[in-house]
Amino acid sequence: MSMRRLVLALAVVLAPSAYAADPLRLGKPVPADVVAAWDTTVFPDGRGLPQGGGTAEQGRAIYDAKCSNCHGPEGRGETAEELVGREIPLTDPDTAQTIGSFWPYATTLFDYTRRAMPMDKPGSLSVDEAYAVAAYLLQLNGVVAPGDVMNAQSLPKVQMPNRDGFKRIDAK
Amino acid sequence: MAGSRDSDDVLQPAAGGGLLHRRALLSQGLILATATAAAPAFAGEPAVSQSADPLDPHPASLTTPGAPFSPYGQPSQHERRIMRAVGSNADVPGNGVSWTPLEALEGIITPSGLHFERHHNGVPAIDPRQHRLMIHGLVRQPLTFSLEALQRYPMQSRLLFLECGGNSNAGWHAEPIQRPVGSFHGLVSCSEWSGVPLAMLLDEAGVDPQAQWAVVEGADAGALNVSVPLAKLREDCLVALYQNGERLRPEQGYPMRLIVPGWEGILNVKWLRRLHLTAEPAMSRDETAKYTELQPDGTARQFTYVMEAKSVITSPSAMQRLKDKGFYEIKGLAWSGRGRVARVEVSADGGKSWTDAQLQDPVLPRCFTRFRAAWNWSGEPAILKSRATDETGYVQPERETLVAERGRRGYFHYNAIVAWAVADDGTVSHVYA
């Protein structure tokens, strides 16, 4: 390497603006099918909900087998929190923040059940099973009827009782 | 006693209950006297076994070759009792917390092995060679980054506190909880975090102007996810690879975690694997059902991100005992998610009178600040308090004020003034006062 080329090379390496002028581009482009396989985000408007579905009647057996050990029969709480009940208003000091009394979106219930439950085997429920368990818990809370099918179309339309109960503080 | 050897003006009271002027801490003779007098004063300290006669001029250590080198140093065997207190679900051992033993630590840096933990379903085993961070959604080009690639980017280091939104939640209880300060307020720790500014990676992916949020996901069991405003991610967030100079510990997110300076712990997603750029938040479970605060009117505060100014006296503190009356250094920690701590005041008479504590350098934004005050305990009952003010002018509230405003059902974001009562026998307990 000639001295002139060496000086030039050093100048490029040492120039403070090198990052801005020629940023590192070490991120690897991802094919669309890989993105789709990783993308499990579910939104309140239903975007991200997969095809499939289930009813409360189907969900009951799954809940009894895989959920009731911790959450108790009919979601009334055991070692894990209670999931059902909206008899006591949220203004009462003895209230319980259940799915029916507190959760603002039914889509969240499907998403969390599918990704995180049951805790000894998270992610093990099939899409249909997750919809069915969500339907059962919504039915126990009196939000949907026993025969209602919960799926990508119906779940975002479920009107949760506490939908408007939240005030955003540090973000719009 | 310490006071007898220094000039009287240093020992003039600064406030009621025996609080002394700050100059008392600057007096060299007094500092030495204090350190030696205060150290053995707390009952229950681990007994350090020395030679039978502490004044033996020829202790065995002088004449016996010492232990060989160690590839990774560990604390002294005499300090084995200094550890995190663990509270977890009996059925799901990986769901719970461990608290930093604030009462046992000095300075502002939390040793990495004592940094608090909050895991929702355990610490995952991740092969760093296989781990990828994906950025996708409202971007020009979805990308993945390997650890090897991230290592090549220019990095930044910041000294930052990290606090769980649920820290100090026992403060909402009707009766004051009796626990060491770390097992009450120790879901906060402070580290030097080093990593790649997230803005650089977002720019590389090319963020669409419609994007306002990123749904951030971890690689733990249950794939914890929360939405974080894009403006904050661009402003000062890091993809951290290092904590206190070494690679992240597994329980702190190895091989990479998000660091969101000054904002509640849940957003600092560990085992970071995915950023989904979106126009709206996902309304995940941990930003709706949890990490929201039910208020007396039945509504809930949501997206309460900033950890407001807070302070706590770490010594003397609950469950300790002062052996003798006399001179003590009151010391503690203060921090604010909005910036620097501007001032910490202490009171020894339950808040009737206050004096400024000394703030130890460095005083950095969104970082622990160590404060110290000189106190001459008369042997009479006393109530110790500290009150932080940050550079925005925000003043840490009294518990009564906070409860009047928020009720007692919010669970998260408890930052009220903490009161420790010293009884005439020297025992220290937690009180609402």
Side-chain angles (χ1 to χ4, degrees):
Chain A
M1 187 183 280
S2 73
M3 182 57 77
R4 191 163 152 266
R5 286 184 62 191
L6 180 64
V7 168
L8 202 62
L10 282 173
V12 169
V13 170
L14 297 176
S17 61
Y19 294 143
D22 187 18
L24 287 168
R25 293 205 168 274
L26 303 176
K28 199 176 162 197
V30 202
D33 61 327
V34 175
V35 173
W38 276 51
D39 181 4
T40 54
T41 316
V42 170
F43 293 91
D45 64 5
R47 276 176 302 142
L49 283 172
Q51 291 309 305
T55 65
E57 284 158 1
Q58 294 162 336
R60 180 180 192 108
I62 301 159
Y63 179 91
D64 288 346
K66 299 182 177 181
C67 316
S68 64
N69 233 16
C70 297
H71 287 287
E74 303 197 321
R76 291 290 172 168
E78 194 66 50
T79 56
E81 66 199 71
E82 57 199 304
L83 302 171
V84 172
R86 32 191 285 231
E87 300 83 6
I88 310 172
L90 291 174
T91 48
D92 190 312
D94 293 325
T95 192
Q97 290 167 252
T98 68
I99 293 165
S101 73
F102 194 69
W103 290 42
Y105 300 100
T107 47
T108 310
L109 176 57
F110 169 84
D111 174 60
Y112 186 68
T113 304
R114 182 176 61 157
R115 73 172 55 235
M117 293 290 126
M119 290 193 85
D120 62 348
K121 229 176 172 188
S124 64
L125 297 178
S126 70
V127 167
D128 287 345
E129 286 175 323
Y131 275 121
V133 169
Y136 178 55
L137 291 170
L138 292 169
Q139 183 254 311
L140 287 173
N141 277 291
V143 180
V144 304
D148 288 353
V149 177
M150 288 298 110
N151 57 30
Q153 288 70 47
S154 60
L155 201 60
K157 292 181 187 142
V158 172
Q159 281 299 311
M160 298 298 278
N162 197 39
R163 167 65 186 81
D164 298 322
F166 293 81
K167 290 177 181 164
R168 298 183 181 196
I169 303 297
D170 291 325
K172 297 282 165 58
Chain B
M1 280 304 296
S4 63
R5 61 183 295 174
D6 216 302
S7 59
D8 287 345
D9 65 321
V10 169
L11 297 179
Q12 288 302 308
L19 285 168
L20 303 178
H21 196 278
R22 272 189 291 171
R23 279 172 298 170
L25 290 179
L26 305 177
S27 161
Q28 190 75 7
L30 204 51
I31 287 174
L32 292 172
T34 304
T36 51
F42 296 123
E45 292 275 333
V48 177
S49 66
Q50 299 283 353
S51 56
D53 176 10
L55 297 181
D56 177 0
H58 304 292
S61 66
L62 298 188
T63 54
T64 313
F69 298 92
S70 51
Y72 198 102
Q74 298 294 318
S76 161
Q77 58 165 322
H78 302 292
E79 304 298 325
R80 277 175 306 189
R81 293 180 347 125
I82 307 305
M83 55 180 73
R84 296 185 283 222
V86 176
S88 66
N89 182 333
D91 289 343
V92 189
N95 179 19
V97 298
S98 71
W99 285 274
T100 294
L102 298 174
E103 65 280 0
L105 304 178
E106 247 294 349
I108 58 171
I109 298 297
T110 310
S112 298
L114 295 176
H115 193 288
F116 86 88
E117 302 166 275
R118 166 67 175 120
H119 307 315
H120 292 248
N121 201 350
V123 178
I126 293 176
D127 179 346
R129 292 163 302 184
Q130 301 301 320
H131 186 80
R132 293 293 181 275
L133 167 62
M134 181 185 287
I135 299 179
H136 73 101
L138 291 174
V139 295
R140 186 182 60 242
Q141 171 64 62
L143 297 172
T144 58
F145 295 87
S146 67
L147 182 62
E148 191 184 12
L150 291 177
Q151 292 274 151
R152 280 196 53 203
Y153 283 79
M155 293 191 192
Q156 290 181 5
S157 290
R158 295 213 191 87
L159 284 161
L160 299 166
F161 80 82
L162 180 54
E163 184 177 20
C164 176
N167 191 26
S168 314
N169 66 72
W172 300 114
H173 295 182
E175 298 298 326
I177 195 169
Q178 301 303 333
R179 280 192 193 177
V181 59
S183 299
F184 176 14
H185 298 287
L187 297 184
V188 62
S189 306
C190 186
S191 296
E192 182 191 36
W193 299 98
S194 308
V196 181
L198 183 58
M200 201 174 293
L201 308 179
L202 293 172
D203 284 344
E204 189 173 324
V207 177
D208 186 303
Q210 289 186 337
Q212 298 294 320
W213 297 77
V215 185
V216 183
E217 187 178 79
D220 52 341
L224 184 146
N225 66 344
V226 287
S227 309
V228 184
L230 177 60
K232 176 67 173 177
L233 293 172
R234 278 196 172 288
E235 182 190 341
D236 61 358
C237 292
L238 296 176
V239 176
L241 309 181
Y242 296 86
Q243 178 188 12
N244 295 331
E246 64 180 356
R247 295 293 302 278
L248 300 181
R249 299 283 173 98
E251 72 269 30
Q252 293 305 327
Y254 185 84
M256 58 186 74
R257 79 176 302 173
L258 187 64
I259 289 292
V260 186
W263 286 21
E264 61 181 1
I266 182 78
L267 306 174
N268 296 252
V269 173
K270 302 188 291 282
W271 316 293
L272 179 66
R273 82 186 287 259
R274 192 162 71 95
L275 286 156
H276 185 174
L277 278 292
T278 69
E280 295 289 339
M283 297 298 182
S284 74
R285 179 256 199 180
D286 286 317
E287 61 204 39
T288 54
K290 304 291 175 182
Y291 300 92
T292 53
E293 302 149 56
L294 185 58
Q295 301 298 292
D297 68 358
T299 67
R301 289 157 53 89
Q302 187 183 29
F303 304 145
T304 45
Y305 294 139
V306 179
M307 301 311 294
E308 299 283 8
K310 185 164 167 180
S311 70
V312 64
I313 294 170
T314 54
S315 176
S317 59
M319 315 300 282
Q320 296 179 332
R321 190 167 74 82
L322 309 184
K323 202 171 160 189
D324 298 307
K325 63 186 180 181
F327 194 97
Y328 290 89
E329 179 178 78
I330 292 173
K331 54 187 170 184
L333 293 164
W335 61 96
S336 168
R338 294 197 188 278
R340 288 178 179 79
V341 171
R343 179 185 198 190
V344 177
E345 300 157 282
V346 293
S347 172
D349 56 14
K352 290 192 202 68
S353 63
W354 298 85
T355 188
D356 279 291
Q358 179 191 1
L359 303 187
Q360 177 180 286
D361 284 336
V363 177
L364 299 169
R366 303 178 180 88
C367 181
F368 272 177
T369 295
R370 175 63 67 174
F371 67 86
R372 304 177 188 282
W375 181 45
N376 188 22
W377 182 44
S378 66
E380 300 290 312
I383 293 178
L384 305 177
K385 288 183 173 181
S386 65
R387 178 169 68 191
T389 303
D390 71 17
E391 63 182 339
T392 70
Y394 176 92
V395 181
Q396 183 182 9
E398 286 283 1
R399 180 175 185 278
E400 201 177 71
T401 310
L402 188 69
V403 169
E405 185 186 314
R406 306 238 178 111
R408 292 182 33 240
R409 291 300 311 273
Y411 190 85
F412 299 95
H413 290 270
Y414 183 91
N415 71 322
I417 290 170
V418 180
W420 305 130
V422 182
D424 53 10
D425 67 354
T427 56
V428 186
S429 60
H430 177 213
V431 292
Y432 295 153

